[in-house]
Amino acid sequence: MLESVIRELLIKVVGGEWFKDDPESLVSYSYDATPLYQAMPDGVIFPESTQQVSDIVKICSKHRIPVITRGAGSNLCGGTIPLQGGLVVVMTRMNKLLEIDSDNLTATFQTGLNTKQFHLAVERTGLFYPPDPSSMIICTMGGNIALGAGGLRGLKYGTTKDYVLGLEAVLPDGSILRTGGKLVKDAAGYDLTRLLVGSGGTLAILTEATVKLIPKPSYRKAMVAVYDDLHAAARTVSNIIAHHIFPCTLEFMDQPTLQVVEDFAKIGLPVHAKAMLAIEQDGNADDVERDLKQLEEICLASGAVQLNIAKTPEEGAKVMEARRSALAALSRLRPTTILEDATVPRSKIADMVLEVQRIAQKYDVQICTFGHAGDGNLHPTAMTDARDPEEIHRVEQAFAEIFEVAIAMGGTITGEHGVGIVKAPYLEWKVGEAGIKMMKSIKDAIDPHQIMNPGKLFAETRKRIIYQDRTEAVERTTTQDEEIQTP
């Protein structure tokens, strides 16, 4: 518990109604959407302005109290777990959409704003904000920015980091920083905006943001391509990109995922297929119809055994909503669902899916795979039971091997979920010793007392467990005319 004098100082900032340290509140904010992780905070506070956040952080800085920023708690990397206790700063009261500027094609908002509500408000003006994480119904814009969220439309439009133009942030000493603005170009010194995007609350509390918008596409159409071979589905993705067509959505589901999602959504998905691609294009009507015609030809030439084109926008929306429901559908199978996001070059998608299947069999765990095929971002998802320590250990071993194989294929340990707690032991595998040293230098310079979200991003490097198996995996996924450089 916080000392009474500190508690009173915090209550003075926000009022008694917006500071909580009763047992029920502490338990409620001791976990997020990430399975297997929980730690009790010492207090929970709900500011309503940047000034209040600044005053809160000044108190915490003076008394060396850890500060953990939280939006909706929907992250999957343990990013808002208060590992060392401290104060959880919940941003959901700071949820105002401050401005939609049609002249400059920007929007400015407080970071506790709900992502879905933001999308709807922007689209009512005829504009469009493309990043669309699957959790958009519940997540916050600040959480998206803090963890560099992606989404289904990443292939064509990019991810959150590509849209953030400026930020207002409270630094670890309580000072208020403003970066960027309504600017298309800004080369004034270090890019502090990009530094804070994806920093996961380890450098500052983000209080306001300005993002760029684009005109809303006038037409949208979806199709489904069905395959009896994983490599044919992956070949299709490469061939689509080779033809310089960039669908707004190009999603992959393997057979186990298809079966579970269809049982959940009941929209007629091809449950006997080895793989399915859900493809959507947007733009003006003529361009979309032209692209869909080409996409049909590419899919069939690449090995699709069945094509289904949505007859109505509602039918297409059902397919995309079914894909968005994959995690919810899979979570019905076992008490604990662990979703990861290993990312590989697009050309390695089929190899990576096959490796996931091999690894799941090796460790005797149940893993289904779906994800954003267009940008190589796969979501291997383990269905397990947290009450079985031996099985959880096997799941952890399996994911460690999945991450290392992804790196060996030229990929990364996380494409959009962020590092948080979960990926911290593997970060050095990806960025190397020099990368860790540079990141720690930045952290030490900005947060010398280590109060901002401690225990995240950096961790003791986990010993690699694969060695010979990894070499075999690389050999299995290397074609005759290419070589994979293992880390």
Side-chain angles (χ1 to χ4, degrees):
M1 299 291 289
L2 297 172
E3 295 179 14
S4 59
V5 63
I6 298 172
R7 186 177 183 275
E8 291 304 314
L9 289 171
L10 293 170
I11 290 174
K12 187 176 180 181
V13 173
V14 297
E17 181 182 359
W18 300 111
F19 174 84
K20 310 288 184 184
D21 60 359
D22 57 283
E24 293 83 2
S25 296
L26 298 183
V27 170
S28 296
Y29 290 92
S30 66
Y31 61 93
D32 55 27
T34 315
L36 309 179
Y37 294 91
Q38 185 174 15
M40 294 287 281
D42 296 302
V44 184
I45 198 163
F46 302 79
E48 67 171 353
S49 69
T50 299
Q51 187 57 56
Q52 285 189 358
V53 174
S54 174
D55 293 341
I56 290 165
V57 173
K58 286 177 182 177
I59 294 168
C60 292
S61 177
K62 180 179 179 179
H63 296 279
R64 307 292 189 265
I65 298 168
V67 177
I68 303 90
T69 318
R70 181 184 175 110
S74 60
N75 78 90
L76 294 169
C77 67
T80 58
I81 305 294
L83 283 179
Q84 299 178 20
L87 186 68
V88 174
V89 181
V90 184
M91 301 297 290
T92 50
R93 287 181 73 202
M94 296 181 61
N95 59 7
K96 295 181 178 65
L97 175 55
L98 301 174
E99 180 188 49
I100 296 177
D101 184 343
S102 298
D103 293 336
N104 288 300
L105 294 181
T106 64
T108 301
F109 49 82
Q110 293 179 313
T111 53
L113 179 63
N114 172 267
T115 303
K116 181 69 173 180
Q117 291 176 2
F118 177 65
H119 274 254
L120 294 174
V122 168
E123 291 181 25
R124 282 195 292 268
T125 70
L127 297 173
F128 187 48
Y129 177 73
D132 61 334
S134 294
S135 60
M136 63 189 297
I137 293 176
I138 57 172
C139 65
T140 65
M141 291 296 292
N144 297 170
I145 295 169
L147 292 173
L152 277 66
R153 295 193 282 248
L155 167 61
K156 182 174 183 178
Y157 292 109
T159 62
T160 300
K161 72 178 186 299
D162 300 306
Y163 290 84
V164 181
L165 297 174
L167 292 169
E168 179 182 77
V170 175
L171 298 177
D173 63 357
S175 59
I176 298 172
L177 171 72
R178 291 177 177 84
T179 74
K182 299 179 183 181
L183 303 170
V184 176
K185 296 179 178 179
D186 184 1
Y190 295 134
D191 191 342
L192 299 180
T193 303
R194 282 296 184 94
L195 175 62
L196 294 178
V197 174
S199 61
T202 61
L203 300 178
I205 297 180
L206 309 180
T207 56
E208 289 184 14
T210 297
V211 298
K212 70 177 179 181
L213 307 175
I214 63 175
K216 182 181 177 181
S218 60
Y219 189 74
R220 178 174 290 151
K221 200 166 185 178
M223 63 182 286
V224 166
V226 180
Y227 298 84
D228 57 14
D229 176 67
L230 279 172
H231 282 277
R235 196 161 52 240
T236 300
V237 175
S238 297
N239 289 341
I240 288 171
I241 305 305
H243 281 76
H244 301 166
I245 302 174
F246 293 90
C248 72
T249 303
L250 181 49
E251 294 292 301
F252 167 87
M253 286 192 279
D254 68 2
Q255 186 178 51
T257 307
L258 279 170
Q259 292 171 343
V260 175
V261 170
E262 172 58 22
D263 183 59
F264 178 75
K266 294 182 171 43
I267 64 168
L269 295 176
V271 295
H272 299 297
K274 293 295 184 184
M276 185 191 89
L277 294 178
I279 308 171
E280 187 177 48
Q281 183 60 300
D282 63 6
N284 68 62
D286 291 342
D287 289 344
V288 170
E289 292 296 344
R290 182 200 63 216
D291 285 351
L292 282 177
K293 182 64 177 175
Q294 284 188 272
L295 288 166
E296 287 183 64
E297 295 170 357
I298 293 168
C299 290
L300 291 172
S302 303
V305 297
Q306 181 182 339
L307 287 176
N308 299 316
I309 300 177
K311 297 178 177 64
T312 65
E314 291 75 22
E315 187 177 326
K318 282 184 180 180
V319 173
M320 295 306 157
E321 285 306 312
R323 159 59 189 88
R324 291 182 191 278
S325 73
L327 177 57
L330 291 170
S331 67
R332 301 163 73 213
L333 297 181
R334 298 287 303 278
T336 306
T337 306
I338 303 175
L339 182 148
E340 286 298 351
D341 72 325
T343 302
V344 294
R346 286 184 286 253
S347 62
K348 296 298 179 185
I349 288 173
D351 293 336
M352 191 67 212
V353 172
L354 291 172
E355 283 302 302
V356 170
Q357 293 176 347
R358 176 190 68 82
I359 292 165
Q361 192 171 40
K362 173 181 175 180
Y363 292 101
D364 190 25
V365 294
Q366 184 180 12
I367 298 179
C368 296
T369 304
F370 60 95
H372 316 306
D375 52 25
N377 187 193
L378 295 174
H379 293 306
T381 304
M383 282 64 68
T384 183
D385 190 338
R387 298 168 296 185
D388 185 340
E390 193 276 331
E391 182 175 297
I392 290 296
H393 178 63
R394 286 187 279 113
V395 169
E396 290 175 340
Q397 288 181 304
F399 276 124
E401 186 159 346
I402 287 170
F403 298 146
E404 191 157 15
V405 169
I407 293 172
M409 290 183 182
T412 185
I413 60 175
T414 175
E416 61 184 6
H417 290 178
V419 175
I421 301 170
V422 175
K423 304 291 181 61
Y426 312 104
L427 182 60
E428 188 171 333
W429 296 8
K430 173 58 183 172
V431 304
E433 183 179 350
I436 292 292
K437 182 178 179 180
M438 186 172 184
M439 291 182 187
K440 284 186 174 180
S441 296
I442 293 169
K443 169 70 170 172
D444 292 344
I446 297 173
D447 183 19
H449 302 303
Q450 308 294 309
I451 68 167
M452 302 301 288
N453 211 4
K456 313 298 163 52
L457 200 62
F458 307 113
E460 182 179 349
T461 302
R462 187 184 293 270
K463 181 180 179 182
R464 298 193 180 194
I465 63 171
I466 299 169
Y467 299 111
Q468 183 63 34
D469 287 344
R470 182 187 63 160
T471 302
E472 293 170 0
V474 170
E475 291 174 355
R476 277 194 297 276
T477 58
T478 304
T479 61
Q480 292 181 347
D481 59 351
E482 64 182 337
E483 229 176 295
I484 294 178
Q485 299 298 319
T486 59

